[in-house]
Structures are given as structure tokens and as C-alpha cells.
Amino acid sequence: MRFTKFAVSALCAALAALPGRAARAQSADTTSGPSLTLDEAIKLAVRNNPDHLSVVNSRETASAKRRAAYGALLPRFDAQLQGEYRQQGSTPINGVTFDVSSDIYQSSYWLGLTYTLNATTFLNPKIQSAGVKAAEADITGSAELVRATVTQRYLTVLQDIAKADLQDTLVSQAQVQLELAKAKAAVGSGTQLDISRAEVTLGQAQVAAIQARNLVEVDKLRLFQEMGVPQPANVQLTSTFEVRTPSFTLDSVLDVARQQNPSLNALRSRDRVASLTVKSARSGYLPTLQLSTGWGGYTYEYSNPDVLVQNQQFRSQQGMAQCAVNDSIRVGAGLAPLGGACTSQYVFGPAQAQAIRDANNQFPFGFNKQPFGITATLSLPVFDNFQREEKVQEAEAARNDARYNIKKQQLQLTADVTGAYLTLVTQAKTVSLQEQNSAKAREELTLAEARYRVGAATFLDLSDARASFERAENDRINAIYEYHKAFAALESAVGRPLR
């Protein structure tokens, strides 16, 4: 019960959201369940059919590829921030061992621009744009397939309902005939055999009526399955259709199909993609230009700055000693002494030591800027083990397959549209003939009932007339809905509605 209520509310909400539905909903018979037209069923299916939504989702992927292709026309920007810790000890660098007597902290950053240009860079946006058009054509084709399938399902349910109504009529007729047989037997003009036959006929009619109503519900389930929404209880299909001889010609529908058929248009878009892909594969023989530049900085900090202080103090002492030796040599050579120059040049005290400690305090963001530079690279692969040739051959084969598929689809389109048109014309004539047969069978049944009433015909004659009427009426119903299905099949072959 909860599922039924949910199904009714879900469909009612979906129907209410359709344009122009609110005014009709107020006048609908709420006691018999919500009503559903064919147009509403198609709109609901396009919104909810899972297979169609999966095809729609492919457009997002195609659009993302197109966006990335246009993005390749812009330079690439990269940002990097790196930190490093290294313990004291011996570190080999390029075959040379360096002894470090303190732990080291390092950090660096890099902001880089890279711009790559080749023929593919300019061809790829065109390829991906054609891919988007192909995806949109696939969506149109999928929507048309959903429309055609839902239309066929909808017509099938209406056909089942018409047959079920016919069976209900036949049950009523069988009941009348049973009462008539009993009345004739009561007055002595009938037999018990006629009553038994009438009871069998009534039982068979009741079984057929039950099966017909069950078929209606089963086909309704198939319809709502195709629509992608739960089926509410007692939903009423309200669309009506007229049987008319087609006013268009075969050539006119063929022209429309060749221009607007979504499947054919999708293959044409695929051919455009394949042709551009061939050009892209051939561009592998052309050079590629790459420009790169960037901005960066680094830090280098000792965890124990006293190591630097001691090193600098040691170098100052060595420098002062060497300066003293040079000064004594100058005096021995008769030159003027340097005086206090050695002391002032190689002086080292607490101020210098603190300056070294302050300069060492860089990690993590006291960056030293790296010098600016630009790199330009022009590359041309001379021999790549025939990989370019392989790509060109594969692209050309894919392009040829795309063109073969277009030709195949054109031939199939011509055959499908022509066959559907001829079937539609034939069904229109069949409907007219079956309506005449049904009218004659109805007259025959009426005459047989009258003759049986007055004793001029047997119950067997009445049964034969009833069976003939049932066959003729079933054939009429089938002819009408086969006409509508043929019309829907022609629309599906053309790829667009024709009425």
C-alpha cells in the first residue's frame, strides 16, 4: 500500500510539472487515478529513462575534453614548495664527498610557466568540438529512440484496453445469449444442449476477459519501466489518434530523413572527428616548440650556527696570520709596514658572530631569490620506431570506417523509411477494409440473434456468428493500432515526429 501511494504521488508530481498540465489536472477524474497523455509520457521518459540519461551524461565528458583542448592554448603554470632535513655527516655529491658537521634545514619554492606549441595544439580544439556535436547528436538520437519506444508501448496498452473492452462486451452478449437459451428451453423451443453451449461460451468469454485485463496491466508496467518512473494505481491513458491516409509522399519523408535523422548526423560528426584525427596524426612529423620560465628561491640553514661561527673565526685567524707574514716580508724588503690593516681587515668579534647567526636564520621562508631565466626548446623526432606511421594508418582506417558507416546508415535509412512508408499506406487501406468486415459481422450477429429468438436458426448458427464477429472486431482493433504503430515506426525511421 505504501508503494502504491508513493507511485501515485510521484507520477502526479511529475505530471504537474509538465507545461499546461495544471489546468487539465483540475478537471481530471481523481477517483479513477491520474491521466497520462502520450506527450506527457514521452517527456517523463526523456527526463527519467536511465539509458537515455546515461547518453546525456556523455556530453559532460565531451565538453570537458573540449575545454581541456582550448586550455592547451594557454601556458601551463606549476607551483612547488619543498622542504628538506639532513643529518650531519658525509654526503656524496657528483662523486665528491662533503663533510657537514651540523644538521641542515633546506626549503625552496618554484613558480614555473611552460608553453608547448605544435600542430596538435591547434587541431585538438576542432576535434573535441566535433566530438561535442557528435555527443549532442547521440543525445538527440537517444531521445528519439525513447520517444519511439514509449509511443509503441503506449499504443500497445491502448490496443490491449480496446481488446479488453471487446471481451467485456462479448461477456455481456454471452450472458444475454445464455438467458435467451434458458428462456427458450423453458417454453419448450430450446434444448438443454443449447444451455450447455451457452454456459461454455460464457465461461470462455470470462476467461478471455480476465486474461485481456491482465495483459493491460502487464503492458502498463512495461510502459512505465520505459518511462523510468513508478506506475501509479489506476492510471488512465487519454490520448486519441485518427486514422488518415498519409498526406506526405515517400520522397518528402526520405529528404527529411537524410537531412535530420539523428543517427546519420551523429555518424557525420564522427566522420568529422576521424578526419581531424588523421591530420593530428600526420602532424607528428612537424616540430614542437616548448618555452619555459619561472621564479624560485631557496633557504639553507644549519641547525647549529656555531659551526659557521667557528669556521669564519678560523678563516679570520688564518687570514690575520697570513697578513702578518706578508707584512714582515714587506718590512724585510724595505717597504712600508701595513700597520693596523691586518687587524681591521680580519677582525672577528661578537658582532660578526651574531651577524653570521642572523644570516643563517633562513628556514623555512627566508628565501634567497634565484636568477631569472627562459628556456626555449625546438624538438623534431627524427625516428620513433615507426610509431608515427602506425598512428597515421590507424587514424586513416578509423576515418574510412566512419565513412563506410555513413554509407551503411544511408542505405539502411532508405530501406527503413521506404519499408515503413509502404507499411503505413498498406495499414491505412487495411483499416478501411477491416472496418467494413466488422460492420458486416456485426449485422450478421444481430440477424443471427433475431433468427434464433424466433426459432429460425440454431444456437450453433448463433455461435458461429458470434465467433465471426469476435474475429472481425479483433482484426479491426489490430488494424487500427497496427496503423498507429506503423506511423510511429515511420517517425522513428525518419528521426522526427511527422504529425
Side-chain angles (χ1 to χ4, degrees):
M1 180 63 69
R2 289 194 299 270
F3 175 78
T4 303
K5 291 181 178 178
F6 170 76
V8 172
S9 61
L11 182 61
C12 289
L15 292 175
L18 295 174
R21 179 66 190 172
R24 294 195 300 272
Q26 295 177 357
S27 60
D29 183 7
T30 57
T31 60
S32 60
S35 61
L36 180 70
T37 66
L38 176 59
D39 291 339
E40 291 167 347
I42 293 173
K43 291 177 181 178
L44 286 172
V46 171
R47 293 179 184 176
N48 299 282
N49 182 273
D51 293 334
H52 176 64
L53 294 180
S54 178
V55 176
V56 173
N57 191 47
S58 64
R59 179 171 52 191
E60 300 298 328
T61 303
S63 298
K65 290 181 178 180
R66 179 179 61 181
R67 184 166 55 251
Y70 279 104
L73 298 173
L74 302 175
R76 175 176 174 175
F77 178 75
D78 296 308
Q80 181 181 7
L81 180 64
Q82 182 178 0
E84 180 182 354
Y85 166 75
R86 186 181 305 165
Q87 288 184 334
Q88 65 179 2
S90 299
T91 303
I93 300 178
N94 295 330
V96 180
T97 302
F98 294 88
D99 293 327
V100 181
S101 56
S102 173
D103 295 346
I104 296 175
Y105 298 98
Q106 298 182 72
S107 64
S108 62
Y109 76 91
W110 177 256
L111 303 175
L113 287 176
T114 304
Y115 196 26
T116 303
L117 290 176
N118 52 31
T120 303
T121 306
F122 299 99
L123 283 173
N124 204 31
K126 297 181 179 179
I127 294 175
Q128 301 306 329
S129 296
V132 172
K133 292 182 178 179
E136 291 175 347
D138 289 338
I139 292 172
T140 303
S142 177
E144 178 58 31
L145 178 61
V146 169
R147 188 193 67 80
T149 305
V150 169
T151 300
Q152 293 287 346
R153 297 283 190 191
Y154 194 97
L155 290 170
T156 298
V157 175
L158 290 180
Q159 184 177 5
D160 294 340
I161 292 173
K163 289 184 176 182
D165 292 340
L166 171 61
Q167 292 301 326
D168 291 341
T169 301
L170 294 175
V171 169
S172 299
Q173 288 181 346
Q175 290 174 340
V176 171
Q177 291 171 2
L178 176 59
E179 296 299 327
L180 181 59
K182 290 181 179 179
K184 291 189 65 175
V187 298
S189 61
T191 65
Q192 183 60 37
L193 181 60
D194 292 342
I195 296 176
S196 299
R197 288 175 176 173
E199 289 173 344
V200 171
T201 301
L202 176 59
Q204 292 173 339
Q206 290 172 338
V207 170
I210 293 174
Q211 293 177 343
R213 290 299 172 187
N214 179 69
L215 185 59
V216 170
E217 296 304 320
V218 171
D219 284 337
K220 275 187 181 180
L221 288 173
R222 301 300 183 192
L223 170 62
F224 280 89
Q225 177 186 2
E226 191 67 32
M227 291 166 57
V229 296
Q231 179 188 347
N234 301 322
V235 63
Q236 305 297 314
L237 307 188
T238 58
S239 291
T240 58
F241 306 92
E242 296 181 1
V243 177
R244 292 182 295 181
T245 303
S247 59
F248 42 79
T249 63
L250 176 59
D251 292 337
S252 64
V253 293
L254 281 174
D255 290 339
V256 173
R258 289 164 183 161
Q259 296 175 7
Q260 302 184 24
N261 184 270
S263 298
L264 184 58
N265 289 336
L267 290 176
R268 288 168 178 161
S269 297
R270 303 294 180 193
D271 176 58
R272 173 66 174 165
V273 172
S275 298
L276 291 172
T277 303
V278 171
K279 293 183 179 180
S280 178
R282 290 174 178 171
S283 68
Y285 293 95
L286 302 177
T288 298
L289 174 64
Q290 185 178 72
L291 302 173
S292 61
T293 185
W295 300 264
Y298 65 94
T299 66
Y300 194 94
E301 178 180 327
Y302 284 82
S303 63
N304 183 13
D306 291 338
V307 173
L308 298 175
V309 173
Q310 293 171 1
N311 290 338
Q312 184 60 36
Q313 186 177 11
F314 178 73
R315 284 193 295 270
S316 297
Q317 291 173 352
Q318 285 184 328
M320 185 175 293
Q322 184 64 39
C323 184
V325 172
N326 292 338
D327 187 43
S328 63
I329 295 175
R330 286 174 60 87
V331 173
L335 298 176
L338 296 175
C342 290
T343 303
S344 61
Q345 182 178 359
Y346 295 103
V347 63
F348 187 86
Q352 287 75 19
Q354 186 61 40
I356 292 175
R357 292 187 179 93
D358 294 340
N360 179 68
N361 189 19
Q362 298 179 5
F363 184 85
F365 300 117
F367 295 107
N368 298 309
K369 186 177 180 181
Q370 294 182 0
F372 178 77
I374 297 178
T375 303
T377 304
L378 185 66
S379 61
L380 178 63
V382 178
F383 178 70
D384 63 350
N385 304 102
F386 301 107
Q387 293 183 7
R388 287 175 297 186
E389 289 76 7
E390 179 185 3
K391 292 179 180 178
V392 170
Q393 290 298 324
E394 289 178 348
E396 290 179 345
R399 180 197 58 190
N400 293 336
D401 289 342
R403 293 176 178 176
Y404 297 150
N405 289 334
I406 291 176
K407 183 177 181 180
K408 176 183 177 181
Q409 183 64 26
Q410 288 174 336
L411 294 173
Q412 182 177 350
L413 184 68
T414 301
D416 291 346
V417 172
T418 303
Y421 180 84
L422 296 176
T423 301
L424 178 63
V425 173
T426 301
Q427 286 302 130
K429 297 177 181 178
T430 302
V431 170
S432 177
L433 294 174
Q434 293 295 356
E435 286 180 344
Q436 295 176 12
N437 293 337
S438 177
K440 293 178 181 179
R442 185 182 298 274
E443 292 177 0
E444 179 185 354
L445 177 60
T446 302
L447 179 60
E449 289 177 344
R451 287 171 56 83
Y452 179 70
R453 243 182 231 105
V454 298
T458 65
F459 189 84
L460 183 60
D461 295 332
L462 179 60
S463 297
D464 290 341
R466 181 185 177 280
S468 178
F469 168 73
E470 181 178 357
R471 287 193 301 270
E473 190 64 14
N474 266 308
D475 291 342
R476 183 187 69 84
I477 293 173
N478 289 334
I480 290 175
Y481 285 99
E482 289 302 321
Y483 165 85
H484 295 311
K485 290 181 179 180
F487 204 113
L490 177 60
E491 291 178 328
S492 178
V494 172
R496 52 156 293 183
L498 298 174
R499 58 181 173 183

